[in-house]
Amino acid sequence: MTKATQTPVPRTPRGQRAKHDTATPKKSTPKPKPTPKATPKAKADEPKTPKDKQKLSTDSAPSAKRRKKTDGDLESRVFFNSRLNAHEADTEQFQPTREDRQLYDAARSAAALEEAKVTGCAVDASTPASTPGAVSVGYRVKKIRIGSYEIDSWYISPYPDEYSRHPLLYICEFCLKYMKSSYTYTRHCQKCTLRHPPGDEIYRDGSISVFEVDGRKNKIYCQNLCLMGKMFLDTKTLYYDVEPFLFYILCEYDARGYHFAGYYSKEKRSVQGYNLSCIMILPSKQREGYGKLLIEFSYLLSKKEGVSGSPEKPLSDFGLLSYRSYWRRAVYEILLHVGERARVVTIDAVSRKTGMTVDDVISTLQTDGMLQRKGVSYAIVVDKARIERFVELAREKAPRRIDSSKLRWAPFLTKNTTVVQEDDGDISV
């Protein structure tokens, strides 16, 4: 076999095109161009040049070096109309350090211990003073200052925590705003323009006035009133939801204004027929007949509405004593006055004349042993001498009484009932 010999192809010098032979070379298929990869954008914070790197390193230097560099800029600026220089206007030097925080925690712990000695409440020593809830929840207001009286509290009232920590609370006797310090109280008394409760005066007899305050129209005043009332009422649970209630404020009038003495509240729409929800007389005004005066006033409003009323149960200890005393006096006066004209009196008749419910009338008669059973029915057995002696002793004390002719009031809700005016002789059968 003979080997094929290849003729060598001469190389083309640079810069000249190669002269091809007559034979056409094979066409090569063009390769697809690779798509250029997207280069990630440089971050704004990433330094691009050595100068940028040097600038970044100087910016991350400590604040002391940065202050040295910017002293020239600060000195050229004007602070507070040139009242402060650059050094005085620089606030970075006043940032609290770790030693400052330790001193603050130690001072706060010492103040909490000192306050615990005054209030008699324990402090959890294991909890840092700077942690919320370090002080025990046993704090309560021990005294209140209202007007010229300083009164000891009887029960715990849910005042805000910053006020409950103070053993003495100052209360304005006109707007009932509570304050923590005597300085704030003195300043408030000089600026307070209110001289009577924010309501309508519906009764006035001499120096005694009664105002009707709507809980929806004067919400803040009624909430402050309920918080103060809780300090002397154990069974009171209403503090902030005052909109469904009406408040009747008893005041004493003098040249300075109408001074708070007590109050009672009732629901605007009572399903059970209650004419009184809670009643409170300031301890400084007790034993002056104001409790029975407000009770009699509540029954006067019930008779004006043409319905019988009863207090909301359960009653407090002092409230129960006051109501039993008033019920006895009201029933005895009716029996003594009507017994002179009629021989037989019904319980319904006594209820209509006094405004009391039938249950309250029966309870009063049973307590005094004047309701006896005869066969299948009950009869009221009246001891006239006993009733006359009781009424005479009650009149000797000269109690405060309500004069119905001085009432200027219309019912909040009117009912479709007809009130029948009856004479004394018409209530006997």
Side-chain angles (χ1 to χ4, degrees):
M1 295 180 63
T2 61
K3 294 183 180 179
T5 60
Q6 289 182 346
T7 60
V9 178
R11 299 180 65 180
T12 306
R14 292 182 179 180
Q16 297 181 7
R17 292 185 178 180
K19 295 180 180 180
H20 302 287
D21 299 333
T22 57
T24 58
K26 294 181 180 180
K27 295 183 179 180
S28 60
T29 57
K31 295 182 179 180
K33 296 181 180 180
T35 57
K37 295 183 179 180
T39 57
K41 295 182 179 180
K43 297 182 180 179
D45 298 337
E46 184 178 352
K48 299 178 180 179
T49 61
K51 291 184 178 180
D52 295 336
K53 293 182 180 180
Q54 184 179 2
K55 183 178 180 182
L56 182 62
S57 62
T58 55
D59 290 343
S60 61
S63 59
K65 295 182 180 179
R66 185 165 63 251
R67 283 200 301 269
K68 290 180 180 180
K69 184 177 180 180
T70 58
D71 279 345
D73 298 337
L74 290 175
E75 291 176 358
S76 61
R77 296 174 60 184
V78 178
F79 300 95
F80 297 100
N81 296 329
S82 301
R83 295 182 181 180
L84 298 179
N85 56 30
H87 179 72
E88 293 173 344
D90 188 9
T91 58
E92 293 186 0
Q93 57 183 331
F94 302 107
Q95 295 294 329
T97 61
R98 182 176 299 178
E99 291 77 10
D100 296 335
R101 296 184 183 277
Q102 292 176 355
L103 290 175
Y104 172 76
D105 291 339
R108 187 171 181 179
S109 300
L113 293 174
E114 186 67 23
E115 187 177 2
K117 293 179 182 179
V118 177
T119 57
C121 300
V123 177
D124 189 4
S126 61
T127 307
S130 58
T131 306
V135 184
S136 173
V137 294
Y139 286 94
R140 73 178 183 91
V141 179
K142 294 186 176 181
K143 292 183 180 180
I144 62 170
R145 172 76 181 274
I146 177 169
S148 58
Y149 298 95
E150 191 170 300
I151 307 171
D152 294 335
S153 64
W154 298 352
Y155 306 102
I156 298 176
S157 182
Y159 280 100
D161 187 61
E162 57 178 319
Y163 294 90
S164 299
R165 295 170 180 267
H166 295 265
L168 178 61
L169 208 61
Y170 298 86
I171 299 178
C172 177
E173 60 180 337
F174 298 112
C175 67
L176 302 184
K177 180 181 179 180
Y178 47 88
M179 289 150 279
K180 297 182 290 186
S181 64
S182 59
Y183 176 77
T184 308
Y185 174 72
T186 305
R187 295 274 297 176
H188 173 80
C189 292
Q190 295 174 353
K191 296 183 292 184
C192 185
T193 58
L194 198 64
R195 286 296 176 266
H196 60 80
D200 301 326
E201 185 179 12
I202 60 176
Y203 180 84
R204 180 190 294 180
D205 186 7
S207 61
I208 302 300
S209 295
V210 178
F211 289 80
E212 183 183 55
V213 182
D214 192 345
R216 184 181 64 85
K217 296 180 180 179
N218 304 278
K219 190 173 182 180
I220 300 300
Y221 179 88
C222 296
Q223 287 178 351
N224 295 341
L225 178 63
C226 292
L227 287 173
M228 183 179 64
K230 180 62 181 74
M231 305 180 75
F232 309 102
L233 296 173
D234 187 21
T235 57
K236 183 172 180 58
T237 57
L238 172 69
Y239 313 124
Y240 299 104
D241 187 17
V242 297
E243 296 182 2
F245 290 86
L246 293 172
F247 296 84
Y248 296 90
I249 317 299
L250 177 66
C251 299
E252 292 179 341
Y253 175 77
D254 62 5
R256 294 182 58 246
Y258 294 84
H259 305 274
F260 178 85
Y263 85 100
Y264 83 89
S265 63
K266 74 171 185 178
E267 291 183 276
K268 298 176 183 177
R269 295 176 178 269
S270 179
V271 180
Q272 295 84 1
Y274 294 142
N275 64 352
L276 187 143
S277 296
C278 69
I279 181 172
M280 189 275 294
I281 305 296
L282 283 178
S284 58
K285 300 296 181 180
Q286 291 180 1
R287 304 192 67 83
E288 296 185 17
Y290 287 144
K292 294 180 182 177
L293 186 73
L294 285 181
I295 293 174
E296 185 178 1
F297 187 81
S298 66
Y299 280 107
L300 175 62
L301 299 187
S302 296
K303 289 188 288 185
K304 191 80 171 179
E305 293 174 339
V307 297
S308 59
S310 179
E312 185 176 342
K313 306 330 187 271
L315 291 169
S316 61
D317 297 337
F318 287 99
L320 183 60
L321 292 175
S322 300
Y323 263 96
R324 283 180 176 176
S325 178
Y326 171 78
W327 286 340
R328 183 179 290 108
R329 187 185 70 184
V331 172
Y332 280 11
E333 287 178 351
I334 294 298
L335 293 177
L336 183 62
H337 182 65
V338 176
E340 298 176 355
R341 299 187 178 186
R343 297 180 58 86
V344 180
V345 180
T346 62
I347 294 178
D348 291 335
V350 176
S351 174
R352 288 196 301 270
K353 294 297 292 184
T354 59
M356 300 165 52
T357 60
V358 174
D359 294 338
D360 293 338
V361 175
I362 293 175
S363 175
T364 303
L365 295 174
Q366 285 181 340
T367 303
D368 295 344
M370 301 176 62
L371 193 63
Q372 297 181 4
R373 183 171 183 176
K374 291 186 177 181
V376 294
S377 62
Y378 289 86
I380 301 175
V381 180
V382 178
D383 187 355
K384 189 175 181 179
R386 175 185 175 184
I387 293 178
E388 289 178 349
R389 186 168 57 254
F390 178 85
V391 173
E392 184 178 355
L393 290 175
R395 289 175 180 174
E396 288 179 358
K397 297 180 180 179
R400 300 178 183 270
R401 301 301 298 268
I402 290 292
D403 188 357
S404 60
S405 63
K406 298 180 179 180
L407 178 66
R408 300 292 183 269
W409 179 79
F412 183 79
L413 294 175
T414 57
K415 297 185 178 181
N416 296 327
T417 57
T418 303
V419 181
V420 180
Q421 300 280 342
E422 296 181 347
D423 295 332
D424 295 339
D426 296 338
I427 67 173
S428 59
V429 294

